[in-house]
């Protein structure tokens, strides 16, 4: 099994779901090989989401869960042209979703990934490159370059 955190297999540039939990389930299915149980992982994400929204504003959501149902740390990227209702901090629809899956017992790895994504997205040039990308390989390279810096 590939150990990369980001991979073109885990990027969907045409997400058609328009509701938060349907989108989380769709993105979790993309990384099924890295999960012990997709539905139980999705339940862990829902539990986390019930504590506070992961819709950080400006069209971005970063749902995540540290879960015993995860085999390998993975980030799935979803892009929606229509927008997804997320109950975001700014009450705007989400167009970019970064679903983070980290196995329980991996220390603070999920926090490091979350921080890297949140800081990267605040960089207007980086965010614009992500938004304008129409190829999964471009998004994979942008994210891998960020994790290697």
């Amino acid at each position: 099994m590939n150990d990369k955190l980001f991979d073109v297999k885990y990027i969907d540039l045409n997400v058609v779901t328009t509701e938060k939990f349907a989108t989380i389930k769709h993105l979790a299915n993309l990384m099924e090989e890295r999960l012990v149980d997709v539905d139980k992982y999705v339940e862990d994400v829902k539990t986390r989401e019930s504590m506070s929204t992961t819709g950080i504003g400006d069209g971005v959501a970063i749902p995540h869960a540290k879960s015993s149902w995860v085999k390998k740390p993975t980030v799935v990227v979803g892009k929606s042209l229509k927008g997804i209702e997320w109950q975001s901090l700014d009450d705007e629809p989400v167009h970019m979703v970064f679903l983070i899956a980290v196995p329980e017992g991996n220390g603070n790895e999920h926090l490091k990934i979350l921080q890297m994504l949140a800081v990267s997205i605040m960089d207007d040039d980086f965010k614009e490159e992500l938004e304008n990308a129409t190829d999964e390989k471009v998004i994979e390279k942008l994210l891998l370059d960020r994790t290697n810096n």
Side-chain angles (χ1 to χ4, degrees):
M1 184 186 314
N2 176 342
D3 282 341
K4 289 187 336 191
L5 184 62
F6 302 104
D7 190 297
V8 293
K9 293 191 297 193
Y10 311 125
I11 299 172
D12 182 350
L13 298 179
N14 298 301
V15 172
V16 295
T17 52
T18 57
E19 188 274 326
K20 174 178 17 183
F21 295 120
T23 302
I24 289 169
K25 170 78 171 172
H26 167 70
L27 296 176
N29 280 326
L30 293 180
M31 64 170 157
E32 182 177 13
E33 68 189 30
R34 291 189 155 197
L35 301 174
V36 176
D37 186 304
V38 172
D39 292 330
K40 289 182 176 156
Y41 166 72
V42 169
E43 284 305 313
D44 286 347
V45 177
K46 284 182 178 180
T47 299
R48 165 57 192 87
E49 197 69 34
S50 71
M51 295 175 201
S52 65
T53 185
T54 56
I56 62 173
D58 204 22
V60 176
I62 311 176
H64 54 280
K66 198 171 170 181
S67 171
S68 59
W69 305 106
V70 177
K71 297 179 199 173
K72 296 271 183 200
T74 308
V75 177
V76 180
V77 180
K79 194 172 171 181
S80 167
L81 296 176
K82 281 177 99 173
I84 303 159
E85 178 50 48
W86 209 277
Q87 297 83 41
S88 296
L89 295 175
D90 62 2
D91 289 324
E92 294 296 321
V94 163
H95 294 278
M96 290 286 300
V97 180
F98 300 89
L99 177 61
I100 302 172
V102 175
E104 233 167 52
N106 258 43
N108 289 328
E109 184 164 4
H110 70 295
L111 296 177
K112 291 176 188 170
I113 297 167
L114 192 59
Q115 180 183 19
M116 181 278 296
L117 286 171
V119 168
S120 295
I121 289 161
M122 285 191 285
D123 175 337
D124 290 337
D125 292 337
F126 177 78
K127 187 168 184 278
E128 188 176 333
E129 283 185 77
L130 274 180
E131 288 171 346
N132 292 331
T134 56
D135 183 282
E136 292 87 352
K137 288 185 189 308
V138 171
I139 290 180
E140 177 192 43
K141 182 175 179 350
L142 285 168
L143 293 168
L144 287 172
D145 287 350
R146 281 289 166 148
T147 56
N148 294 329
N149 288 334

